[in-house]
Amino acid sequence: MSETKQIPYKIYLEENEMPKQWYNMRADMKNKPAPLLNPATLEPMTFDDLRPVFCDELIRQELDETTAYFDIPQEIQDFYKMYRPSPLVRAYCLEKALDTPAKIYYKFEGNNTSGSHKLNSAIAQAYYAKEQGLKGVTTETGAGQWGTALSMACAYLGLDCKVFMVKCSYEQKPFRREVMRTYGASVTPSPSMDTEVGKKILAEHPGTTGSLGCAISEAVEVATTNEGYRYVLGSVLNQVLLHQSVIGLEAKSAMDKYGIKPDIIIGCAGGGSNLGGLISPFMGEKLRGEADYRIIAVEPASCPSFTRGKYAYDFCDTGMICPLAKMYTLGSGFIPSANHAGGLRFHGMSTTLSQLYDDKLMEAVAVEQTSVFEAATQFARIEGILPAPESSHAIRVAIDEALKCKETGEEKTILFGLTGTGYFDLYAYQAYNDGTMSDYIPTDEDLEPGFASLPKVDK
Ligand SMILES: *Cc1c(COP(=O)(O)O)cnc(C)c1O
């Protein structure tokens, strides 16, 4: 169908058009993602193996690769209504500035106080913890968006929330920390002396500014050693992609209303949750052979899990206490440089996206930090939104693809995920504005120790 209706700048769904179910892409995958393995036995993790760490209902979602649709509990649907549907924006102004025949759309997830898409899964995970009668949850946060989202969700539901925040972010982003504390969470810089694994990491790497992998280990330890607590994770896991499918389902419904079909779908990839969520219904069609889309994951050149990582079983955390996941990884021993996209500094990747990438159902590109901020600045000036550094990775590649269309004259439709706002990332913008930002790209030699830390698993 061609564009018979004038497309508005913003397409919103009505409340009654919002998704009532999440969609589980794995149900339509022929090659399922490899199972999580128990690090002690190397056998697939069972429900019982995971119970000390995760909430029961979330484990069921994690392990379920056949159920395509999960009902969204009414209480979560009601919470979603406070800040969703998120707008699908036609970037008319950006198209004009780029002088491109491409049609650019973005799904904007920054319209809530946590400033990112993370709230979509935070409320779901907190809800299931509450349903199970737990006292509270523990987690890690890198850039701080996940910790903020979880603090908000826990405050709403009356749950305790303990956050381990990667030390360099804790120091760089004191205001994020205060938002979390305002929502009632306790925030500890990681690695800390509060946990056994934290003490061990500090003994081995004195003065380390931490990593997501370290903070995960600490949060898991606290969850498993305190009665009534479980650990929750803001990305990577299948359950998180499931909850984030709300992004893609809304985007698809909004596009369908106007007969719009994207040719290219672009998202930044840290652990893969926003991208996995955005592409869900589109990938579903692709997997079922109903439609085709070009899908591009964008990652930082400083932490290139897809483009330079190995597809192998690895630990999700530095302390090597979490299950093994088969994913594109730089090795749990890889500690990325302190680049400014904290949310993209994870050594691994969603197992689902890893399988899709390995099956060539999606592509990946790595981009350098200064070119990302160049795109961010251009976008802020033209479209008005100050984007998060993570989101700006997707903006970079959306602009690049739109410029290619300008050369070829093709009128492609581009959809990208604008995952959040960058108000807490102004040190990064300052470095860019002052011209002091650098582009760190690890050499093959720099990547060696991480690969050497991969566990030996014949699967
Ligand atoms: C956390 C975060 C990301 C990256 O995480 P994914 O799980 O890969 O989506 C991207 N953008 C923002 C704004 C984030 O907070």
Side-chain angles (χ1 to χ4, degrees):
M1 187 166 126
S2 65
E3 279 176 40
T4 44
K5 292 186 214 171
Q6 170 69 27
I7 313 280
Y9 274 72
K10 287 201 181 90
I11 308 177
Y12 280 106
L13 297 176
E14 302 293 333
E15 243 172 47
N16 63 9
E17 296 171 317
M18 286 170 62
K20 295 181 179 54
Q21 294 181 311
W22 293 302
Y23 168 62
N24 179 14
M25 263 189 300
R26 287 172 293 162
D28 285 307
M29 289 170 69
K30 275 194 207 81
N31 297 333
K32 307 287 184 197
L36 297 174
L37 298 185
N38 184 321
T41 62
L42 298 186
E43 290 304 315
M45 277 284 194
T46 62
F47 182 75
D48 287 333
D49 289 334
L50 291 164
R51 283 195 82 188
V53 182
F54 296 116
C55 306
D56 292 354
E57 188 53 36
L58 293 167
I59 302 173
R60 285 188 198 103
Q61 296 179 354
E62 190 62 32
L63 298 178
D64 191 329
E65 51 185 39
T66 52
T67 306
Y69 289 94
F70 286 80
D71 289 338
I72 306 176
Q74 190 59 47
E75 201 172 346
I76 302 177
Q77 287 191 42
D78 292 343
F79 186 88
Y80 280 167
K81 282 175 199 157
M82 289 198 286
Y83 69 100
R84 309 197 67 82
S86 72
L88 178 73
V89 185
R90 172 77 184 264
Y92 281 118
C93 302
L94 182 63
E95 290 169 16
K96 194 163 167 231
L98 297 174
D99 188 23
T100 172
K103 300 180 177 69
I104 308 173
Y105 294 84
Y106 56 91
K107 181 74 171 158
F108 180 47
E109 291 291 319
N111 256 340
N112 67 78
T113 297
S114 77
S116 82
H117 66 286
K118 299 244 174 34
L119 194 54
N120 302 331
S121 184
I123 187 61
Q125 298 195 43
Y127 170 84
Y128 291 116
K130 172 93 177 181
E131 281 288 284
Q132 200 176 318
L134 299 175
K135 284 185 220 154
V137 290
T138 70
T139 198
E140 78 298 328
T141 196
Q145 288 98 324
W146 167 245
T148 310
L150 189 67
S151 307
M152 287 175 68
C154 286
Y156 179 77
L157 294 168
L159 278 175
D160 186 37
C161 180
K162 297 184 195 300
V163 180
F164 285 86
M165 185 169 187
V166 177
K167 193 182 278 168
C168 65
S169 299
Y170 185 89
E171 284 159 5
Q172 269 181 10
K173 301 188 180 182
F175 294 150
R176 270 242 181 255
R177 185 177 78 208
E178 290 317 314
V179 179
M180 286 185 256
R181 293 179 61 212
T182 302
Y183 279 99
S186 74
V187 187
T188 308
S190 167
S192 76
M193 295 297 280
D194 291 7
T195 63
E196 293 309 313
V197 63
K199 286 180 203 160
K200 188 163 166 263
I201 292 167
L202 280 172
E204 284 167 13
H205 307 275
T208 174
T209 52
S211 70
L212 274 177
C214 298
I216 294 174
S217 300
E218 290 203 276
V220 171
E221 183 181 317
V222 171
T224 50
T225 53
N226 284 280
E227 171 86 38
Y229 282 79
R230 290 295 185 282
Y231 166 69
V232 294
L233 179 59
S235 182
V236 185
L237 296 176
N238 294 318
Q239 55 188 268
V240 186
L241 269 72
L242 176 72
H243 307 145
Q244 295 296 358
S245 68
V246 70
I247 305 173
L249 292 163
E250 278 185 12
K252 183 140 195 326
S253 297
M255 293 190 126
D256 285 348
K257 262 179 124 169
Y258 287 87
I260 307 158
K261 184 178 171 295
D263 298 297
I264 310 176
I265 305 170
I266 300 167
C268 62
S273 75
N274 85 81
L275 178 66
L278 176 68
I279 67 175
S280 280
F282 302 100
M283 184 58 89
E285 289 189 342
K286 186 163 166 153
L287 289 163
R288 295 188 301 270
E290 297 163 8
D292 199 13
Y293 304 95
R294 207 180 139 209
I295 292 167
I296 310 176
V298 191
E299 58 186 15
S302 58
C303 191
S305 319
F306 269 134
T307 51
R308 294 175 67 196
K310 292 199 159 64
Y311 191 31
Y313 267 105
D314 192 14
F315 293 93
C316 294
D317 61 324
T318 314
M320 305 187 179
I321 53 179
C322 288
L324 297 171
K326 189 174 179 190
M327 56 188 176
Y328 276 85
T329 180
L330 298 164
S332 65
F334 176 76
I335 296 194
S337 74
N339 74 45
H340 290 291
L344 305 183
R345 288 181 69 204
F346 184 61
H347 63 274
M349 186 52 65
S350 143
T351 57
T352 299
L353 294 191
S354 293
Q355 185 64 50
L356 292 169
Y357 180 67
D358 203 58
D359 287 338
K360 312 242 175 327
L361 290 158
M362 52 182 272
E363 307 163 29
V365 292
V367 291
E368 291 169 26
Q369 185 161 248
T370 51
S371 75
V372 166
F373 276 82
E374 187 195 325
T377 304
Q378 188 178 11
F379 185 83
R381 291 180 188 177
I382 296 165
E383 287 285 321
I385 295 170
L386 184 78
E390 293 88 350
S391 323
S392 305
H393 287 67
I395 299 176
R396 170 75 275 160
V397 173
I399 290 178
D400 290 346
E401 289 297 327
L403 291 175
K404 279 185 208 159
C405 290
K406 182 178 173 179
E407 273 172 32
T408 60
E410 283 172 294
E411 286 184 33
K412 287 196 177 143
T413 298
I414 298 170
L415 166 64
F416 74 90
L418 188 67
T419 50
T421 47
Y423 302 115
F424 289 103
D425 301 285
L426 292 170
Y427 282 121
Y429 277 93
Q430 181 179 23
Y432 178 73
N433 292 331
D434 287 346
T436 56
M437 182 175 276
S438 59
D439 285 322
Y440 173 73
I441 303 174
T443 62
D444 288 345
E445 222 172 12
D446 295 334
L447 295 181
E448 271 314 311
F451 292 140
S453 73
L454 287 172
K456 308 268 170 293
V457 181
D458 282 337
K459 291 192 190 210

